[in-house]
Amino acid sequence: KQWYQRRVREHYYITNNLRKPSIFAMDGLLHELPLFDETLENTNLKRPTCSVCARPKTVCVCCAIAKEIVISTKVIVLQHPAEQNRQLRTVPLLKAALPDEKCAVVVGKRFANLKDMLSVPTALLFPGKDAVDCSNVSPGTYDQIICLDGTWPQARRLYQKNPLLQSLPKVMLSSTRKSVYLIHTQPTVHHLSTLESVARAIEEMERLDGLEDKLIAPLKEMVRTQFKYGACAHSTQQEARVIRKQEIKNGEKNLTVAPKICDFNYDTF
């Protein structure tokens, strides 16, 4: 009921261009609305979901998931809890493509059993001044790699709240290949999704040509599907800030949040 009334207030503010609501007007508006149907409160309105790729069955991307991928490095994804509420996630696609013994996802903010996970040579995929480029790591140097899944602020907090992560040797990516996760607004053109980062890191560390293309195939299929349903290719937050600064100088009121890529060719993606 509170959510319902909150949506009504927001609609009232927008349609009447008010900064502060009129109490009498709000009361009158709420009385005119149909009563909240409490029988809908426990109704499951979610679409049936695929158990493999975690996408709704109508837009399942399992057809693009590669089979029998063989890698030597185990991947441990430390996932921020907020990621589980996102609709378009890439970690389920990673877990679906890799063998069960080569991919583990641990959800939380502080990981009490982190020490038990570090019984073998482990690297943290995280940028830093002391990080080594993945292409310069000799095959077999690390038995497993840890990746932090979340927004960049969330990933930094995970890193700061778990001191054991700070003691691990770091590896990073330096290639300039752009992300195919175009339905998500990345901070810059060099930022990648979790799936893309892990795929590229393992390909470079193990010298497995073509591994990245195999692992990101379901991600590209997911993006294509979203394009079919009307999604647009997003530019980056960095480019959006540049556009907003110019809009402010021009005195515009409706500022750009996530600019679209105007010259993007959806047919050839």
Side-chain angles (χ1 to χ4, degrees), residues 56-122:
K57 289 185 177 181
T58 53
V59 289
C60 176
V61 295
C62 288
C63 59
I65 296 176
K67 307 298 182 183
E68 299 180 355
I69 290 181
V70 179
I71 60 174
S72 301
T73 308
K74 181 178 179 179
V75 179
I76 298 178
V77 179
L78 302 183
Q79 189 178 71
H80 192 280
E83 280 297 305
Q84 295 196 309
N85 297 324
R86 295 182 179 274
Q87 298 298 320
L88 300 170
R89 297 177 291 160
T90 64
V91 169
L93 304 180
L94 175 66
K95 189 166 178 57
L98 296 179
D100 291 340
E101 67 274 10
K102 291 298 181 181
C103 185
V105 180
V106 185
V107 182
K109 295 182 179 180
R110 289 185 172 88
F111 305 95
N113 60 339
L114 184 58
K115 189 175 182 179
D116 299 333
M117 304 179 195
L118 307 179
S119 57
V120 296
T122 305

Side-chain angles (χ1 to χ4, degrees), residues 32 70 189 212:
E32 293 175 3
V70 179
V189 293
E212 180 183 359

Side-chain angles (χ1 to χ4, degrees), residues 2-46:
Q2 293 177 352
W3 177 88
Y4 184 64
Q5 293 177 353
R6 198 159 52 240
R7 297 287 80 78
V8 172
R9 291 191 185 96
E10 291 175 358
H11 176 72
Y12 182 79
Y13 300 157
I14 294 171
T15 55
N16 293 277
N17 295 319
L18 296 178
R19 292 186 179 180
K20 294 183 178 180
S22 168
I23 297 176
F24 299 103
M26 282 301 304
D27 287 342
L29 183 62
L30 288 174
H31 284 304
E32 293 175 3
L33 288 170
L35 293 176
F36 180 79
D37 188 355
E38 295 184 359
T39 61
L40 296 176
E41 191 171 2
N42 297 323
T43 303
N44 185 8
L45 300 177
K46 291 185 178 181

